[in-house]
Structures are given as structure tokens and as C-alpha cells.
Amino acid sequence: MKDIAVIAVSGGMDSCVTAAIASLDHRLAFAHINYGQRTEEKELQCFHKLADHYNAEKRLVIDLRHLAVIGGSSLTDHNIDVSAANLDNLDIPTSYVPFRNSNILAVCTSWAEVIGAKWVYIGAVNEDSSGYPDCRPEFYEAFQRVIDTGTKPDSGIRIATPVISFTKDQIVKRGIELKAPLEYTWSCYSSDEKACGECDSCALRLRGFQKAGFDDPIAYHKKPIYYKG
Amino acid sequence: MKDIAVIAVSGGMDSCVTAAIASLDHRLAFAHINYGQRTEEKELQCFHKLADHYNAEKRLVIDLRHLAVIGGSSLTDHNIDVSAANLDNLDIPTSYVPFRNSNILAVCTSWAEVIGAKWVYIGAVNEDSSGYPDCRPEFYEAFQRVIDTGTKPDSGIRIATPVISFTKDQIVKRGIELKAPLEYTWSCYSSDEKACGECDSCALRLRGFQKAGFDDPIAYHKKPIYYKG
């Protein structure tokens, strides 16, 4: 029998394709983190649709809304505007949630240790990303060492970041290859009925689809052209 | 003006003495984590008394009760008995909360990054501890690297573990030297009116006081002798 793996599933495209990849080798334990982001309701719906689609054996919704109380990000603080996309700007955008991925990995690792999972998958993307410090490979290498030193000696938990070096168009292509249900994913930071098409996250997603040569199956308010083939 | 430091304050003796040490050099931002432990109500009272005593400039109570949902520890799961103390047993006790300190450091670092604190203090104790993997210095060294790679480049946040190499009697002595209000601290894992005197945590605490030659100011159901001078 396949072993079980914890997958951090936000409901976005990257975590969906990560789940698709993990499903090839593992039984699945889906973890969703609510950190008080604006579009949480929509993301949670996507999480459950993805968990149904992949027949996840376990699912856990974790409340990290204290990250919204702490603030510091436009994703959780309505007093900070979500920056309009600027894909050439290498500054850390206002949507950066301070140290978010450490909080996510910490709780996923706790869960993995309790259920005996040997893997924690997370859909971090470095290249083509928005410049978040906690999406870089060296961050995950460092966190692996924290797991090695901070869990029971026989836990043997490994972090897997299968899409970290993918560009968004590679993620779209891999998702379509694996028949991942990209229609059940949500990326927009601003809106939860139709995607805005204009925030960082929409721009990266749309550019990915446009570069890959596929049509994005979700609904948009606006669908600007971010890539001319 | 002194800079501000985040202190993880459980309400126990180790974090109280850590706060006493931090107060020598910093303004204080006190963070308390509720992870669904049995004696949380008492610990939270201690936290607020300590925050008042040290005139903490900021205080934050963080809800990590999902760690209780995840389970795996006698501290949070009433179906697992709190083991009776056995100070010679080097196994990881049932009170180990899987990967707890990573969750605590992650959220304290998020807060530090938002408020501009350069330090996160935590009262981890390695020597004389109960054998938790996430109380060892190598765990904190590894987590420092996670902070260095996972926060904004100018954050410059450092972890401080000023009592990590202390024995419990050294913690008692240092606390008394610094006039730390040890009467406002709570260590017992089982009970929240009078301390039980018999769980791991009570045994370590009482042995520390007995070895240091001081009387513990809090009330106990039983006060066994753990050290004969």
C-alpha cells in the first residue's frame, strides 16, 4: 500500500498541481490553512472540491487567523491595498504575509508526526513568483533541518516542493497533463465571485495560461493579455 | 531607547526567567500561545500577571488550539494519560506536543517581523529537560536559518534562548537574583488549582527549587522530595 503524505492545499493552482503530483505516489491527507485572507471562503470551497476529486483520506482545516490579527499584509488587512500587478517589480509585494509558510509548514509537520506521514508537500513556487522570501529553495532546505532536529528521531519527515522550480506555464502544462481539475482552483487575492484579473496573483496565473497556450477555465471580471506568444 | 523584543511567555517558570533576562536589555512584547493544553486558563492568568509585572508594552494571545485537534499529546488529549514523573527515563514523554516549538517560533517571528522586533526570546531548556527534541540547541540553530531565509532581508530577527543550558536550579537561582515573580508562574500539566506535584513538569520544578535551596511559593497537592542535598 502507498504511504500517506500531508499536502498543504490552499485551493490555488500551485497546490492543486502539487496534489496531483503527490497523488501519483501517496495516499493523501489534505490540510487547508485559513489565515484570515480576503478570499478564504472561496479557497475553502476549492479545497473541499479538490479533496473530493482526489479522494483525500484525511482532511484538516486549520485556523491560523491570528496571522490576520498580527497583520502586516494586504491579504489579511483591509487597510492595506492589494498592489496592482507589476510583474517586473522585484520588491516584496504588500500581499506578503510575514513568515506565513513557516507557520503552515510547522502545523503540517505537527499533523504529519501525529498521523505517521513521512512527507509534507507544499506548492511553493520560486521562479516566476512574486518575490516572497519564503518561497525560495534555501528556505525549504533550512526548514528540513528544523524538522530533522525538532521531531522525534524516528519521524523521518521530508518536505517536498515538486513545483518550486516550475514557471507558471509549466505548472499549467503539468496540471493539464495530470488531468488536475484547475477549474476547482482560485488564485485571485481581491475577489471571490469572479477573479479580478488584475492583482499579482491573477496576473501570474493568466500569464501562465497564456504562455502555455490554454484557456483558464475560471471566470474573470477582466482578462488582460499578459503574454503575447 | 531600548529596542523591543518578542518574548514567548507560557506562564511557566522558564519563560518568566527568560522575560526577566530580556527585560534587562529590551522593551517587551509578550506573546502567549494557547494550544489547548489542560491548564491553559491558569497559564493565561499567569501570563497577564507577568505582563503587568514587567510592564509589557504589547501583549498578544495566540490561538493554536488546532494543535489540540491534531492531538498526539497528553497535554492536549484527555484520552492520553499524563505520565507520572520519571526523571531518569530518557524517552520522549506523552506530554510531548508534536513540533510545538516550531509553531510557537513561527508565529512569534511573524509578529516580530510586523512590529519591527529584532529578537524573539523563548524559554527552552535543554539540560535537565524532559527529552523533547525541540528543546535542543541544534533545533534553535536550524530555526535561526529558517528565519534568515524566510523573512524580509532587512528583518534581522534573532532567536534568543538565554536559559537553554541552565539546569532548573540555576533557573530558580537566576530568577530569584533578578527578583522574578515566580509566584506568578505555573508548571503543572495536570491541575490548575494546586499543582499536583507528581507530573514531569512539577517534578522538574520542585527538584529545581530543592536543589537551589529555596521554597517554591506556589501551592501543591503533594510536595514530594525529589532532591536530598
Side-chain angles (χ1 to χ4, degrees), chain A residues 60 62-64 66-67 69-72 92 96 98-99 102-103 106-107 109-111 113-114 133-134 136 138-139 142-143 145-147 149-153, chain B residues 60 62-64 66-67 69-72 92 96 98-99 102-103 106-107 109-111 113-114 133-134 136 138-139 142-143 145-147 149-153:
Chain A
L60 179 69
I62 297 158
D63 189 343
L64 294 188
H66 56 265
L67 292 179
V69 176
I70 289 173
I92 295 173
Y96 170 65
F99 215 50
S102 291
N103 286 275
V107 67
T109 304
S110 293
W111 195 33
E113 196 168 15
V114 173
D134 54 0
R136 294 176 302 171
E138 54 266 44
F139 168 76
F143 208 95
R145 177 89 188 121
V146 167
I147 292 177
T149 56
T151 54
K152 292 185 188 180
Chain B
L60 178 68
I62 297 159
D63 188 344
L64 294 188
H66 56 266
L67 291 178
V69 175
I70 289 173
I92 294 172
Y96 170 64
F99 214 50
S102 291
N103 286 275
V107 66
T109 304
S110 292
W111 196 34
E113 197 170 13
V114 173
D134 53 359
R136 295 176 300 171
E138 53 266 44
F139 168 76
F143 208 96
R145 177 88 188 122
V146 167
I147 293 177
T149 57
T151 53
K152 294 185 188 181

Side-chain angles (χ1 to χ4, degrees), chain A residues 22-99:
Chain A
S23 73
L24 302 173
D25 295 316
H26 306 283
R27 287 149 51 226
L28 303 174
F30 269 32
H32 177 76
I33 285 87
N34 169 9
Y35 54 91
Q37 64 275 48
R38 293 165 186 243
T39 53
E40 167 56 19
E41 198 179 320
K42 182 74 176 190
E43 289 176 33
L44 184 62
Q45 286 169 12
C46 289
F47 167 79
H48 283 299
K49 284 184 187 168
L50 291 170
D52 292 342
H53 178 90
Y54 284 109
N55 203 12
E57 196 171 303
K58 293 174 187 284
R59 61 183 92 181
L60 179 69
V61 176
I62 297 158
D63 189 343
L64 294 188
R65 274 176 295 180
H66 56 265
L67 292 179
V69 176
I70 289 173
S73 167
S74 63
L75 285 202
T76 57
D77 183 342
H78 288 244
N79 295 315
I80 304 176
D81 284 337
V82 175
S83 347
N86 179 351
L87 299 183
D88 301 320
N89 181 350
L90 296 176
D91 288 351
I92 295 173
T94 58
S95 56
Y96 170 65
V97 177
F99 215 50

Side-chain angles (χ1 to χ4, degrees), chain A residues 65-66 69-70, chain B residues 9 30-35 40 43-45 47-48 58-64 107 111:
Chain A
R65 274 176 295 180
H66 56 265
V69 176
I70 289 173
Chain B
V9 178
F30 269 32
H32 176 76
I33 285 85
N34 168 9
Y35 54 92
E40 166 55 19
E43 290 176 33
L44 184 62
Q45 286 168 12
F47 167 78
H48 284 299
K58 294 174 187 284
R59 61 182 93 180
L60 178 68
V61 176
I62 297 159
D63 188 344
L64 294 188
V107 66
W111 196 34

